[in-house]
């Protein structure tokens, strides 16, 4: 359906009777599991730390003789590096004429005696849809966002998403090169995550519809003769599978690329809000009135605290036919 831009009027936003439906995905499981729009952390700086990283030297057997021990070795120290992400701006506007709002009884399309317009309140409906749109945009950004740090007022902040994190030099990822997902490929990503330092506290695999069925087929032998184990994470009841290193929930997420899967330790991930003083975050407020219409904006600033890359993993470039 086309979107109406500009001012909503009686004629470009006609009222209809009947139930409301949308085919657009409205579920945001990743955002819900890490705290949604009401949980998480807060910051008063658009750039915030996601972790301070340090490495220990490789383990080795010491080779120090009694004579050598009389002289202390050269000093060596552990260095640290700070990693950061940024909050991005989400801003939406609705503008409805007084005439549109007062014509709730004027119906278009098929009408039968006794029917009423649905929705009954245009302003409430539009605000609700804007909040759903913002949640969808956040879900997409947290998964697929490409990091950009503002250097002046004309450059937008863009938060880093999980796939960019996992496919970075510090991350754990496999480019499948177009092959189909199988048990061997899954075992490989689990093994590489373990070797890279993952701690496997609360693991969840996020997949699209095609790969969700693929994962179920691969682990079908775990479910034979019994009901698959489930657990609740962030209000989602998800199927649980067991690997050599950890137990993991598997959830369908419509915003995951069709050829990719994400394995995230959700215990270490949170949204970061940057509230406006005196207003909070993700608030609505009236804009300057220019005539007989209500103009409202919804505004918020949010980023992803994803913790170090080695905690998570991803497979990309999988076959999807």
């Amino acid at each position: 359906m086309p979107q109406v831009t500009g001012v909503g009027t009686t004629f470009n936003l006609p009222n209809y009777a009947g139930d409301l439906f949308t085919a657009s995905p409205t579920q945001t499981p990743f955002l819900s599991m890490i705290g949604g729009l009401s949980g998480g952390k807060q910051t008063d700086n658009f750039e915030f730390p996601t972790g301070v990283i340090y490495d220990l030297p490789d383990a080795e057997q010491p080779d120090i003789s009694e004579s050598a021990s009389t002289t202390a070795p050269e000093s060596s120290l552990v260095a640290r590096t700070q990693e950061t992400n940024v909050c991005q701006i989400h801003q939406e506007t609705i503008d409805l004429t007084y005439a549109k709002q007062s014509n709730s009884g004027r119906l278009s399309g098929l009408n039968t005696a006794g029917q009423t317009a649905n929705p009954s309140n245009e302003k409430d409906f539009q605000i609700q849809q804007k909040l759903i749109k913002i949640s969808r945009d956040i879900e997409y950004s947290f998964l697929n966002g490409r990091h950009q740090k503002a250097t002046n007022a004309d450059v937008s902040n863009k938060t880093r998403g999980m796939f960019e994190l996992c496919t970075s030099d510090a991350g754990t990822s496999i480019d499948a090169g177009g092959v189909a997902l199988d048990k061997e490929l899954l075992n490989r990503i689990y093994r590489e995550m373990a070797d890279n330092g993952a701690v496997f506290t609360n693991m969840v695999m996020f997949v699209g519809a095609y790969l969700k069925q693929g994962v179920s087929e691969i682990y079908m032998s775990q479910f034979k003769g019994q009901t698959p184990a489930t657990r609740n994470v962030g209000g989602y009841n998800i199927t649980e599978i067991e690997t050599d290193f950890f137990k993991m929930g598997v959830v369908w997420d419509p915003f995951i690329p069709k050829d990719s899967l994400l394995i995230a330790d959700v215990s270490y991930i949170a949204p970061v809000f940057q509230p406006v003083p005196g207003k909070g975050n993700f608030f609505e407020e009236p804009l300057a009135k220019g005539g007989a219409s209500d103009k409202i904006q919804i505004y918020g600033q949010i980023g992803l605290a994803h913790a170090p890359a080695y905690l998570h993993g991803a497979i990309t470039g999988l076959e999807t036919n």
Side-chain angles (χ1 to χ4, degrees):
M1 295 292 294
Q3 299 291 304
V4 173
T5 58
V7 181
T9 71
T10 306
F11 300 96
N12 63 13
L13 284 177
N15 297 321
Y16 297 100
D19 294 334
L20 292 166
F21 296 97
T22 180
S24 300
T26 58
Q27 291 184 322
T28 53
F30 183 81
L31 176 61
S32 297
M33 289 183 188
I34 64 172
L37 291 181
S38 58
K41 306 176 181 179
Q42 290 194 355
T43 181
D44 56 6
N45 182 343
F46 70 73
E47 187 176 17
F48 55 88
T50 60
V52 178
I53 310 300
Y54 66 91
D55 291 318
L56 296 174
D58 291 339
E60 60 181 12
Q61 185 175 18
D63 182 14
I64 305 170
S65 69
E66 181 179 356
S67 296
S69 69
T70 62
T71 302
E74 183 181 358
S75 171
S76 62
L77 304 168
V78 175
R80 301 174 299 277
T81 303
Q82 186 186 61
E83 297 182 343
T84 65
N85 205 355
V86 296
C87 289
Q88 62 190 24
I89 294 173
H90 291 261
Q91 187 175 20
E92 301 288 339
T93 302
I94 65 170
D95 195 357
L96 295 170
T97 67
Y98 291 170
K100 164 58 189 170
Q101 296 178 69
S102 62
N103 272 296
S104 59
R106 181 179 177 84
L107 301 182
S108 298
L110 177 65
N111 294 296
T112 304
Q115 288 185 317
T116 58
N118 193 5
S120 59
N121 186 305
E122 188 69 47
K123 185 191 295 186
D124 290 348
F125 173 79
Q126 295 297 339
I127 290 173
Q128 180 187 33
Q129 301 316 305
K130 289 298 186 184
L131 291 173
I132 293 174
K133 178 186 183 300
I134 288 172
S135 295
R136 284 164 43 91
D137 290 346
I138 293 171
E139 182 86 355
Y140 180 89
S141 299
F142 281 5
L143 295 170
N144 305 296
R146 309 295 295 181
H147 179 262
Q148 179 174 284
K149 179 182 171 181
T151 52
N152 58 61
D154 294 325
V155 178
S156 58
N157 281 309
K158 296 182 180 180
T159 202
R160 180 185 299 103
M162 293 299 297
F163 280 104
E164 183 180 49
L165 178 73
C166 290
T167 56
S168 68
D169 291 342
T172 307
S173 67
I174 296 173
D175 183 347
V179 303
L181 181 66
D182 58 17
K183 188 70 172 295
E184 181 179 351
L185 200 54
L186 287 171
N187 284 342
R188 178 183 162 193
I189 190 66
Y190 305 153
R191 181 172 64 250
E192 291 188 8
M193 290 173 67
D195 288 341
N196 286 346
V199 295
F200 305 126
T201 303
N202 189 6
M203 308 306 295
V204 178
M205 179 190 290
F206 297 87
V207 286
Y210 178 78
L211 291 179
K212 176 65 171 71
Q213 292 181 321
V215 172
S216 295
E217 287 291 330
I218 291 169
Y219 285 94
M220 186 63 69
S221 60
Q222 282 195 14
F223 307 146
K224 284 182 177 178
Q226 59 185 354
T227 303
T230 61
R231 60 188 169 106
N232 188 286
V233 180
Y236 280 78
N237 196 37
I238 55 180
T239 301
E240 187 175 73
I241 59 177
E242 187 168 356
T243 77
D244 291 320
F245 302 99
F246 54 88
K247 290 183 177 181
M248 174 175 62
V250 183
V251 62
W252 166 62
D253 191 314
F255 297 95
I256 293 283
K258 293 181 179 180
D259 67 346
S260 303
L261 63 82
L262 169 70
I263 303 173
D265 195 333
V266 296
S267 292
Y268 299 96
I269 307 173
V272 177
F273 302 96
Q274 188 177 7
V276 176
K279 297 180 182 292
N281 204 25
F282 288 104
F283 56 90
E284 64 175 85
E285 65 178 0
L287 296 176
K289 191 170 290 295
S293 70
D294 284 327
K295 193 172 186 180
I296 299 168
Q297 77 166 348
I298 300 172
Y299 183 90
Q301 300 169 135
I302 191 171
L304 178 64
H306 45 58
Y310 65 80
L311 295 174
H312 320 290
I315 302 177
T316 62
L318 290 160
E319 178 267 329
T320 58
N321 293 321

